[in-house]
Amino acid sequence: MEFFIDTADTEAIRALCSFLPVDGVTTNPTIITKSGKAPEQVFAELCEVLTEDQKIIAQVIATDYDGILAEAEKIAAIRGGKNIVVKIPVTRAGLRAIPAVKAKGISVLATGIYSPDQAFWAAKAGADYLAPYVNRMCNYGDGVGQVVELVHTLAQYGMEAKVCAASFKNVDQVHRLLAAGVPAVTVAPDVIAAMIDHPGTALAVEEFTSNWEKAYGRTTL
Ligand code: E4P
């Protein structure tokens, strides 16, 4: 499975990549604006902070067919086409653009997905990844359940598109989709931290050290 970090905060990416085997980074226009930096600078920093084996997944801004095609090529050129994936929202223009972008040899992640039915059409159009917005879907119903259903639908038809579940707001949402075997997730740094930093573990380690020190007068083996 693939685990991406959903941020354009390069310091957070650097810190997480120093101890976690993450598969790359996803951004969207809003995430990039939140960095407070120019998009060109963000992309340059992402290329510097990530290894060539880690994917950079970046979104088009254009909403018309020709604009999406032109921007997809621009994004692909950020890194010479290797391990770069272009995010295209599943609008009518986006669904039309997906096969055309794929025909240029560019990988595509269909984004802005609020329903399994939109995801189905993006898969049929040839998208490599499908990004259902889990938490936003939860505003309308059982977002997690619908994404699990989507994974099963794709498997049933032998469709190759991978679900890359996105828009998580808590660990439970991530946990339930990992337990269901979702092939990829993209998770913001704060939720990743909550997956890892359990207060119980910190207390257990403190207790081990303190008992050892009391018995042996040192804090090393
Ligand atoms: C993926 O990169 C999506 O754009 C992102 O997860 C959306 O997250 P949000 O619902 O917090 O905006």
Side-chain angles (χ1 to χ4, degrees), residues 6 26-28 31 59 87 111 133 136 166-169 186:
D6 200 19
T26 58
T27 65
N28 67 29
I31 287 174
Q59 190 167 327
K87 290 174 80 176
T111 194
Y133 281 9
R136 298 193 199 194
S167 177
F168 289 106
K169 288 295 168 281
T186 184

Side-chain angles (χ1 to χ4, degrees), residues 46-60:
L46 289 178
C47 290
E48 189 250 309
V49 80
L50 295 168
T51 69
E52 284 185 4
D53 294 329
Q54 291 174 307
K55 291 184 175 133
I56 296 176
I57 306 182
Q59 190 167 327
V60 296

